[in-house]
Amino acid sequence: MARLREFDTERAVEAAMNAFCRNGYDGTSIQDLVDVTGVGRGSLYTAFGSKEGLYLAAMDRYREHYAQPLVEVLRQGAPGRELLREVLVAAVDDIVRDGSRRACMIVGAAVGRIAHDPQVASHVQSTTELLEEALYQVVAEAQANGELSKERDPRNLARYLLATMHGLRVMGSIKPDRESLMAVAETALHPLG
């Protein structure tokens, strides 16, 4: 008779996600994962197959906790400029509140893993496309309603805003100073017209 898994998989993935966000893939050892999850090495391998398998599960969790809720906020139908400003301010507040200089898992994966890991590249691409599409819908609707200038292509503005959000995460991991980050966020809104 097969032995039942004796640990909370969801809690283990959450703990692993936090470790990967703090230290990156290469900076997180199997022993680190054993320590933060409280799950033995053999059990982790049985449940996830490998460190990479746990990393992919952590990327899925990151998408659930950070990307999906952001998409839901963007779909609320609030006035475009106001909504985009709120999203940037919320990103800054999250960065500053965190205080541990925890990096964005998507940015970390894009920088450190996608060049040699097609599965990670696929995860990063699908999450990025999800966010870009949600931003695009807000910008396009705001342009159609006259809230934003139609001078610039809405798809390019969505990509610009996404790059700004990722850039804020990078800057915040270096120096989580609210005043500096808010200056970037406010400046990012100017090209919207």
Short mmCIF file of all heavy atoms in Angstrom, two decimals, residues 114-160:
data_model
loop_
_atom_site.label_atom_id
_atom_site.label_comp_id
_atom_site.label_asym_id
_atom_site.label_seq_id
_atom_site.Cartn_x
_atom_site.Cartn_y
_atom_site.Cartn_z
N ILE A 114 15.24 31.77 -17.68
CA ILE A 114 14.57 31.47 -18.94
C ILE A 114 15.51 31.14 -20.08
O ILE A 114 15.12 30.43 -21.01
CB ILE A 114 13.58 32.57 -19.38
CG1 ILE A 114 14.29 33.88 -19.67
CG2 ILE A 114 12.49 32.76 -18.36
CD1 ILE A 114 13.38 34.92 -20.29
N ALA A 115 16.74 31.60 -20.01
CA ALA A 115 17.67 31.34 -21.11
C ALA A 115 17.97 29.85 -21.27
O ALA A 115 18.28 29.40 -22.38
CB ALA A 115 18.97 32.11 -20.90
N HIS A 116 17.86 29.08 -20.21
CA HIS A 116 18.22 27.67 -20.30
C HIS A 116 17.16 26.73 -19.71
O HIS A 116 17.42 25.56 -19.47
CB HIS A 116 19.57 27.42 -19.63
CG HIS A 116 19.67 27.91 -18.22
ND1 HIS A 116 19.18 29.10 -17.80
CD2 HIS A 116 20.22 27.35 -17.13
CE1 HIS A 116 19.42 29.25 -16.51
NE2 HIS A 116 20.04 28.21 -16.08
N ASP A 117 15.93 27.25 -19.51
CA ASP A 117 14.89 26.40 -18.97
C ASP A 117 13.56 26.73 -19.66
O ASP A 117 12.88 27.69 -19.32
CB ASP A 117 14.76 26.62 -17.46
CG ASP A 117 13.85 25.60 -16.79
OD1 ASP A 117 12.86 25.18 -17.42
OD2 ASP A 117 14.14 25.23 -15.65
N PRO A 118 13.18 25.93 -20.66
CA PRO A 118 11.96 26.21 -21.43
C PRO A 118 10.68 26.22 -20.60
O PRO A 118 9.77 26.98 -20.88
CB PRO A 118 11.91 25.10 -22.47
CG PRO A 118 13.25 24.45 -22.47
CD PRO A 118 13.90 24.77 -21.17
N GLN A 119 10.60 25.39 -19.58
CA GLN A 119 9.40 25.37 -18.74
C GLN A 119 9.26 26.68 -17.96
O GLN A 119 8.17 27.23 -17.85
CB GLN A 119 9.42 24.18 -17.78
CG GLN A 119 9.14 22.86 -18.46
CD GLN A 119 9.07 21.75 -17.44
OE1 GLN A 119 10.07 21.40 -16.83
NE2 GLN A 119 7.88 21.21 -17.26
N VAL A 120 10.36 27.16 -17.42
CA VAL A 120 10.34 28.43 -16.70
C VAL A 120 10.02 29.55 -17.68
O VAL A 120 9.22 30.44 -17.39
CB VAL A 120 11.67 28.69 -15.97
CG1 VAL A 120 11.74 30.11 -15.41
CG2 VAL A 120 11.85 27.66 -14.84
N ALA A 121 10.61 29.50 -18.87
CA ALA A 121 10.33 30.52 -19.89
C ALA A 121 8.85 30.56 -20.21
O ALA A 121 8.26 31.63 -20.34
CB ALA A 121 11.15 30.24 -21.15
N SER A 122 8.23 29.40 -20.31
CA SER A 122 6.80 29.32 -20.60
C SER A 122 5.97 29.94 -19.47
O SER A 122 5.02 30.68 -19.72
CB SER A 122 6.39 27.87 -20.82
OG SER A 122 5.01 27.77 -21.03
N HIS A 123 6.34 29.65 -18.22
CA HIS A 123 5.65 30.23 -17.07
C HIS A 123 5.77 31.76 -17.08
O HIS A 123 4.78 32.46 -16.88
CB HIS A 123 6.23 29.68 -15.77
CG HIS A 123 5.62 28.40 -15.31
ND1 HIS A 123 5.79 27.23 -15.98
CD2 HIS A 123 4.84 28.11 -14.25
CE1 HIS A 123 5.16 26.26 -15.35
NE2 HIS A 123 4.57 26.77 -14.30
N VAL A 124 6.98 32.24 -17.30
CA VAL A 124 7.22 33.69 -17.30
C VAL A 124 6.42 34.35 -18.42
O VAL A 124 5.76 35.37 -18.23
CB VAL A 124 8.72 34.01 -17.42
CG1 VAL A 124 8.96 35.49 -17.69
CG2 VAL A 124 9.45 33.58 -16.15
N GLN A 125 6.47 33.75 -19.59
CA GLN A 125 5.78 34.32 -20.75
C GLN A 125 4.27 34.36 -20.53
O GLN A 125 3.62 35.38 -20.79
CB GLN A 125 6.11 33.54 -22.01
CG GLN A 125 5.46 34.16 -23.25
CD GLN A 125 5.91 33.47 -24.53
OE1 GLN A 125 6.81 32.64 -24.53
NE2 GLN A 125 5.28 33.82 -25.62
N SER A 126 3.69 33.30 -20.02
CA SER A 126 2.23 33.28 -19.85
C SER A 126 1.78 34.27 -18.78
O SER A 126 0.76 34.95 -18.95
CB SER A 126 1.74 31.86 -19.53
OG SER A 126 2.19 31.43 -18.27
N THR A 127 2.54 34.40 -17.71
CA THR A 127 2.19 35.36 -16.67
C THR A 127 2.34 36.79 -17.18
O THR A 127 1.48 37.64 -16.95
CB THR A 127 3.04 35.15 -15.41
OG1 THR A 127 2.80 33.82 -14.92
CG2 THR A 127 2.69 36.15 -14.31
N THR A 128 3.41 37.04 -17.91
CA THR A 128 3.63 38.36 -18.47
C THR A 128 2.54 38.72 -19.48
O THR A 128 2.02 39.85 -19.48
CB THR A 128 5.03 38.43 -19.13
OG1 THR A 128 6.02 38.16 -18.12
CG2 THR A 128 5.31 39.79 -19.73
N GLU A 129 2.16 37.78 -20.30
CA GLU A 129 1.09 38.02 -21.28
C GLU A 129 -0.25 38.30 -20.58
O GLU A 129 -1.02 39.15 -21.02
CB GLU A 129 0.97 36.85 -22.24
CG GLU A 129 2.11 36.78 -23.23
CD GLU A 129 2.13 35.50 -24.06
OE1 GLU A 129 1.30 34.59 -23.80
OE2 GLU A 129 2.97 35.41 -24.96
N LEU A 130 -0.52 37.58 -19.50
CA LEU A 130 -1.74 37.80 -18.73
C LEU A 130 -1.80 39.23 -18.20
O LEU A 130 -2.82 39.93 -18.34
CB LEU A 130 -1.81 36.81 -17.57
CG LEU A 130 -2.97 36.96 -16.60
CD1 LEU A 130 -4.25 36.46 -17.24
CD2 LEU A 130 -2.67 36.19 -15.31
N LEU A 131 -0.70 39.68 -17.60
CA LEU A 131 -0.64 41.04 -17.06
C LEU A 131 -0.71 42.09 -18.17
O LEU A 131 -1.42 43.09 -18.05
CB LEU A 131 0.64 41.22 -16.23
CG LEU A 131 0.70 40.41 -14.94
CD1 LEU A 131 2.10 40.47 -14.35
CD2 LEU A 131 -0.35 40.89 -13.95
N GLU A 132 0.03 41.85 -19.24
CA GLU A 132 0.02 42.80 -20.36
C GLU A 132 -1.38 42.95 -20.93
O GLU A 132 -1.83 44.08 -21.20
CB GLU A 132 0.98 42.34 -21.46
CG GLU A 132 1.01 43.27 -22.66
CD GLU A 132 1.80 42.72 -23.81
OE1 GLU A 132 2.93 42.22 -23.60
OE2 GLU A 132 1.31 42.78 -24.95
N GLU A 133 -2.08 41.86 -21.10
CA GLU A 133 -3.43 41.92 -21.67
C GLU A 133 -4.38 42.69 -20.76
O GLU A 133 -5.19 43.49 -21.24
CB GLU A 133 -3.97 40.51 -21.94
CG GLU A 133 -5.29 40.48 -22.65
CD GLU A 133 -5.27 41.15 -24.03
OE1 GLU A 133 -4.21 41.19 -24.69
OE2 GLU A 133 -6.34 41.63 -24.45
N ALA A 134 -4.27 42.48 -19.46
CA ALA A 134 -5.13 43.21 -18.52
C ALA A 134 -4.82 44.71 -18.57
O ALA A 134 -5.74 45.54 -18.57
CB ALA A 134 -4.95 42.66 -17.12
N LEU A 135 -3.55 45.07 -18.62
CA LEU A 135 -3.17 46.48 -18.73
C LEU A 135 -3.65 47.06 -20.06
O LEU A 135 -4.16 48.19 -20.11
CB LEU A 135 -1.65 46.64 -18.59
CG LEU A 135 -1.09 46.43 -17.19
CD1 LEU A 135 0.42 46.22 -17.23
CD2 LEU A 135 -1.46 47.60 -16.28
N TYR A 136 -3.50 46.30 -21.12
CA TYR A 136 -3.95 46.74 -22.45
C TYR A 136 -5.44 47.06 -22.44
O TYR A 136 -5.87 48.09 -22.98
CB TYR A 136 -3.64 45.67 -23.49
CG TYR A 136 -4.34 45.90 -24.80
CD1 TYR A 136 -3.90 46.88 -25.69
CD2 TYR A 136 -5.46 45.17 -25.14
CE1 TYR A 136 -4.56 47.11 -26.89
CE2 TYR A 136 -6.13 45.39 -26.33
CZ TYR A 136 -5.68 46.37 -27.20
OH TYR A 136 -6.35 46.60 -28.37
N GLN A 137 -6.23 46.19 -21.84
CA GLN A 137 -7.68 46.41 -21.81
C GLN A 137 -8.02 47.71 -21.08
O GLN A 137 -8.89 48.47 -21.53
CB GLN A 137 -8.39 45.22 -21.13
CG GLN A 137 -8.30 43.94 -21.90
CD GLN A 137 -9.00 44.00 -23.26
OE1 GLN A 137 -9.98 44.71 -23.44
NE2 GLN A 137 -8.47 43.26 -24.22
N VAL A 138 -7.33 47.99 -19.97
CA VAL A 138 -7.58 49.22 -19.22
C VAL A 138 -7.22 50.43 -20.07
O VAL A 138 -7.98 51.40 -20.18
CB VAL A 138 -6.80 49.24 -17.89
CG1 VAL A 138 -6.87 50.62 -17.22
CG2 VAL A 138 -7.32 48.16 -16.95
N VAL A 139 -6.03 50.40 -20.69
CA VAL A 139 -5.56 51.53 -21.49
C VAL A 139 -6.47 51.74 -22.70
O VAL A 139 -6.89 52.88 -22.98
CB VAL A 139 -4.09 51.33 -21.94
CG1 VAL A 139 -3.67 52.40 -22.94
CG2 VAL A 139 -3.16 51.34 -20.73
N ALA A 140 -6.80 50.67 -23.41
CA ALA A 140 -7.64 50.80 -24.61
C ALA A 140 -9.01 51.36 -24.25
O ALA A 140 -9.54 52.23 -24.96
CB ALA A 140 -7.77 49.45 -25.31
N GLU A 141 -9.59 50.88 -23.18
CA GLU A 141 -10.90 51.37 -22.76
C GLU A 141 -10.83 52.83 -22.33
O GLU A 141 -11.70 53.64 -22.67
CB GLU A 141 -11.46 50.51 -21.63
CG GLU A 141 -12.87 50.88 -21.24
CD GLU A 141 -13.46 49.94 -20.21
OE1 GLU A 141 -13.21 48.72 -20.29
OE2 GLU A 141 -14.18 50.44 -19.32
N ALA A 142 -9.77 53.18 -21.59
CA ALA A 142 -9.61 54.57 -21.15
C ALA A 142 -9.39 55.50 -22.34
O ALA A 142 -9.87 56.64 -22.35
CB ALA A 142 -8.45 54.67 -20.15
N GLN A 143 -8.69 55.03 -23.36
CA GLN A 143 -8.53 55.84 -24.57
C GLN A 143 -9.86 55.99 -25.29
O GLN A 143 -10.21 57.08 -25.75
CB GLN A 143 -7.49 55.20 -25.49
CG GLN A 143 -6.06 55.38 -25.02
CD GLN A 143 -5.05 54.76 -25.97
OE1 GLN A 143 -5.36 53.82 -26.72
NE2 GLN A 143 -3.84 55.29 -25.95
N ALA A 144 -10.61 54.93 -25.39
CA ALA A 144 -11.91 54.97 -26.07
C ALA A 144 -12.89 55.91 -25.34
O ALA A 144 -13.71 56.57 -25.98
CB ALA A 144 -12.51 53.57 -26.16
N ASN A 145 -12.77 55.98 -24.01
CA ASN A 145 -13.64 56.84 -23.20
C ASN A 145 -13.15 58.28 -23.11
O ASN A 145 -13.79 59.11 -22.47
CB ASN A 145 -13.79 56.29 -21.78
CG ASN A 145 -14.53 54.98 -21.75
OD1 ASN A 145 -15.28 54.66 -22.66
ND2 ASN A 145 -14.32 54.21 -20.70
N GLY A 146 -11.98 58.55 -23.69
CA GLY A 146 -11.43 59.90 -23.64
C GLY A 146 -10.69 60.22 -22.35
O GLY A 146 -10.27 61.36 -22.13
N GLU A 147 -10.49 59.22 -21.48
CA GLU A 147 -9.74 59.44 -20.23
C GLU A 147 -8.25 59.58 -20.48
O GLU A 147 -7.56 60.26 -19.73
CB GLU A 147 -9.95 58.27 -19.27
CG GLU A 147 -11.35 58.07 -18.78
CD GLU A 147 -11.44 56.78 -17.99
OE1 GLU A 147 -10.72 56.65 -16.98
OE2 GLU A 147 -12.22 55.90 -18.39
N LEU A 148 -7.77 58.87 -21.49
CA LEU A 148 -6.36 58.91 -21.85
C LEU A 148 -6.23 59.33 -23.31
O LEU A 148 -7.10 59.04 -24.13
CB LEU A 148 -5.71 57.53 -21.65
CG LEU A 148 -5.68 56.96 -20.24
CD1 LEU A 148 -5.06 55.57 -20.25
CD2 LEU A 148 -4.94 57.86 -19.27
N SER A 149 -5.11 59.94 -23.62
CA SER A 149 -4.84 60.36 -24.99
C SER A 149 -4.73 59.13 -25.90
O SER A 149 -4.23 58.09 -25.50
CB SER A 149 -3.51 61.13 -25.01
OG SER A 149 -3.06 61.30 -26.33
N LYS A 150 -5.19 59.31 -27.14
CA LYS A 150 -5.07 58.24 -28.14
C LYS A 150 -3.79 58.39 -28.96
O LYS A 150 -3.60 57.69 -29.95
CB LYS A 150 -6.28 58.28 -29.08
CG LYS A 150 -7.58 57.95 -28.40
CD LYS A 150 -8.72 57.98 -29.37
CE LYS A 150 -10.03 57.70 -28.64
NZ LYS A 150 -11.18 57.78 -29.53
N GLU A 151 -2.92 59.26 -28.52
CA GLU A 151 -1.68 59.55 -29.25
C GLU A 151 -0.77 58.34 -29.36
O GLU A 151 -0.07 58.17 -30.36
CB GLU A 151 -0.95 60.70 -28.54
CG GLU A 151 0.31 61.16 -29.22
CD GLU A 151 0.97 62.29 -28.44
OE1 GLU A 151 0.26 63.12 -27.86
OE2 GLU A 151 2.21 62.31 -28.43
N ARG A 152 -0.77 57.49 -28.35
CA ARG A 152 0.13 56.33 -28.35
C ARG A 152 -0.66 55.02 -28.44
O ARG A 152 -1.79 54.93 -27.98
CB ARG A 152 0.98 56.34 -27.08
CG ARG A 152 1.97 57.49 -27.06
CD ARG A 152 2.93 57.38 -25.90
NE ARG A 152 3.99 58.36 -26.00
CZ ARG A 152 3.90 59.60 -25.57
NH1 ARG A 152 2.78 60.04 -25.02
NH2 ARG A 152 4.91 60.43 -25.67
N ASP A 153 -0.02 54.03 -29.01
CA ASP A 153 -0.62 52.71 -29.17
C ASP A 153 -0.90 52.09 -27.79
O ASP A 153 0.01 52.02 -26.95
CB ASP A 153 0.33 51.82 -29.98
CG ASP A 153 -0.21 50.42 -30.14
OD1 ASP A 153 -1.14 50.26 -30.95
OD2 ASP A 153 0.28 49.52 -29.44
N PRO A 154 -2.11 51.61 -27.55
CA PRO A 154 -2.44 51.06 -26.23
C PRO A 154 -1.63 49.81 -25.88
O PRO A 154 -1.32 49.57 -24.72
CB PRO A 154 -3.94 50.76 -26.32
CG PRO A 154 -4.26 50.71 -27.77
CD PRO A 154 -3.26 51.60 -28.46
N ARG A 155 -1.29 49.00 -26.88
CA ARG A 155 -0.48 47.80 -26.60
C ARG A 155 0.91 48.21 -26.13
O ARG A 155 1.43 47.65 -25.16
CB ARG A 155 -0.39 46.94 -27.87
CG ARG A 155 0.44 45.69 -27.71
CD ARG A 155 -0.13 44.68 -26.77
NE ARG A 155 -1.42 44.19 -27.21
CZ ARG A 155 -2.19 43.41 -26.47
NH1 ARG A 155 -1.81 43.02 -25.27
NH2 ARG A 155 -3.36 43.02 -26.91
N ASN A 156 1.49 49.20 -26.79
CA ASN A 156 2.82 49.67 -26.37
C ASN A 156 2.77 50.30 -24.99
O ASN A 156 3.70 50.13 -24.19
CB ASN A 156 3.39 50.64 -27.40
CG ASN A 156 3.76 49.95 -28.69
OD1 ASN A 156 4.00 48.75 -28.72
ND2 ASN A 156 3.80 50.71 -29.77
N LEU A 157 1.70 51.03 -24.68
CA LEU A 157 1.56 51.61 -23.35
C LEU A 157 1.42 50.52 -22.29
O LEU A 157 1.98 50.64 -21.19
CB LEU A 157 0.37 52.57 -23.30
CG LEU A 157 0.58 53.91 -23.99
CD1 LEU A 157 -0.72 54.71 -24.02
CD2 LEU A 157 1.68 54.72 -23.30
N ALA A 158 0.69 49.46 -22.60
CA ALA A 158 0.56 48.35 -21.66
C ALA A 158 1.92 47.72 -21.38
O ALA A 158 2.26 47.43 -20.23
CB ALA A 158 -0.42 47.32 -22.20
N ARG A 159 2.70 47.53 -22.42
CA ARG A 159 4.05 46.95 -22.25
C ARG A 159 4.94 47.89 -21.44
O ARG A 159 5.73 47.45 -20.60
CB ARG A 159 4.66 46.65 -23.61
CG ARG A 159 3.98 45.50 -24.31
CD ARG A 159 4.49 45.29 -25.72
NE ARG A 159 3.78 44.15 -26.32
CZ ARG A 159 3.52 44.04 -27.59
NH1 ARG A 159 3.90 44.98 -28.46
NH2 ARG A 159 2.88 42.99 -28.05
N TYR A 160 4.82 49.17 -21.71
CA TYR A 160 5.57 50.19 -20.98
C TYR A 160 5.23 50.15 -19.49
O TYR A 160 6.11 50.17 -18.62
CB TYR A 160 5.27 51.56 -21.59
CG TYR A 160 5.59 52.74 -20.73
CD1 TYR A 160 6.90 53.19 -20.57
CD2 TYR A 160 4.57 53.44 -20.08
CE1 TYR A 160 7.19 54.29 -19.79
CE2 TYR A 160 4.85 54.53 -19.30
CZ TYR A 160 6.16 54.95 -19.14
OH TYR A 160 6.44 56.04 -18.36
#
